[in-house]
Amino acid sequence: DAKTTQPNSMESNEEEPVHLPCNHSTISGTDYIHWYRQLPSQGPEYVIHGLTSNVNNRMASLAIAEDRKSSTLILHRATLRDAAVYYCILRGPGAGSYQLTFGKGTKLSVIP
Amino acid sequence: ETGVTQTPRHLVMGMTNKKSLKCEQHLGHNAMYWYKQSAKKPLELMFVYNFKEQTENNSVPSRFSPECPNSSHLFLHLHTLQPEDSALYLCASSPPGQLYMNTEAFFGQGTRLTVV
């Protein structure tokens, strides 16, 4: 799987928008960009995914750069419940591709 | 509630004990995974099963023995573990084949294992 690079940590004020960046310069044309998050003491939770176009769902928005070498997860209004580790993961065809390979992610802290 | 249920949620075992972790899903998924998460480390993939066949074993010691009797159930049998095996063990499932790329994986809440 192609690698992703994320900042180790970020902070946001409650009720402010949050933009979590991810670089994936070696992404292939068939790799989907997935985001998961893990709240303390819980299993990872799916957030959103996309291929080329920007995506929106009830949890977040995903903005994908035109060259697909980077993406940004957008939380429109951070709440205390959004404090978690956010993982950007690429999923595509190839050997060992069933697995979700997690990196260190970005630890998001939300300040009341 | 993700549809993936893991039992027990907490487990304390001695180094000479034998125990099993159970994972169950009725989402119609055919790919199931075991992950290990040690303190302050990224999730590590341990095993992958696809249509009940093991397709990945990431150099996991033989004291961890997975079993997948059907597409809905996954077990992790534990024996003669070491204290450093204490961790959160997570199960996940997803659709098989090419569908996995364009859909989400579902994770259980995990089993917090402590080896004493």
Side-chain angles (χ1 to χ4, degrees):
Chain A
D1 286 335
K3 286 191 173 180
T4 63
T5 305
Q6 298 177 252
N8 289 333
S9 62
M10 290 183 66
E11 273 188 359
S12 173
N13 293 318
E14 194 176 10
E15 299 189 6
E16 294 287 317
V18 183
H19 291 232
L20 296 163
C22 181
N23 288 318
H24 29 78
S25 58
T26 60
I27 190 171
S28 74
T30 48
D31 287 340
Y32 283 79
I33 301 160
H34 287 248
W35 283 82
Y36 283 75
R37 72 180 185 180
Q38 188 174 20
L39 279 65
S41 301
Q42 294 191 26
E45 171 188 33
Y46 167 82
V47 178
I48 200 166
H49 77 281
L51 184 61
T52 55
S53 304
N54 294 345
V55 183
N56 299 297
N57 68 20
R58 63 174 179 83
M59 289 181 71
S61 296
L62 176 60
I64 302 172
E66 200 168 330
D67 63 5
R68 299 206 333 121
K69 294 187 176 181
S70 66
S71 60
T72 302
L73 178 71
I74 303 166
L75 307 179
H76 296 286
R77 282 179 74 243
T79 69
L80 297 178
R81 281 202 70 253
D82 292 321
V85 179
Y86 287 78
Y87 300 97
C88 170
I89 301 168
L90 302 183
R91 298 191 88 185
S97 53
Y98 288 114
Q99 56 184 286
L100 273 171
T101 302
F102 287 80
K104 295 182 180 179
T106 297
K107 183 175 183 179
L108 175 67
S109 301
V110 179
I111 302 166
Chain B
E1 180 57 52
T2 64
V4 179
T5 304
Q6 290 188 243
T7 53
R9 292 291 308 276
H10 299 272
L11 178 63
V12 179
M13 60 185 288
M15 288 189 283
T16 58
N17 290 158
K18 287 184 181 181
K19 296 286 184 184
S20 295
L21 309 184
K22 179 181 176 183
C23 177
E24 184 173 359
Q25 58 89 12
H26 297 286
L27 301 169
H29 294 166
N30 287 298
M32 296 187 76
Y33 315 76
W34 279 118
Y35 283 85
K36 173 184 177 182
Q37 189 171 35
S38 304
K40 301 188 178 180
K41 284 188 177 180
L43 282 84
E44 303 170 56
L45 180 70
M46 299 176 74
F47 303 104
V48 180
Y49 276 82
N50 192 33
F51 289 97
K52 302 188 295 178
E53 297 296 321
Q54 188 180 128
T55 56
E56 299 279 344
N57 175 343
N58 282 358
S59 304
V60 179
S62 60
R63 58 185 183 271
F64 294 92
S65 174
E67 179 190 2
C68 190
N70 55 60
S71 292
S72 298
H73 295 86
L74 185 65
F75 295 89
L76 188 62
H77 303 299
L78 316 170
H79 63 99
T80 58
L81 295 192
Q82 304 297 312
E84 58 264 31
D85 296 321
S86 299
L88 180 68
Y89 289 85
L90 291 155
C91 173
S93 73
S94 70
Q98 294 299 304
L99 288 177
Y100 75 90
M101 295 190 298
N102 192 21
T103 188
E104 60 192 277
F106 293 81
F107 283 79
Q109 295 285 56
T111 294
R112 175 69 63 185
L113 174 67
T114 303
V115 182
V116 297

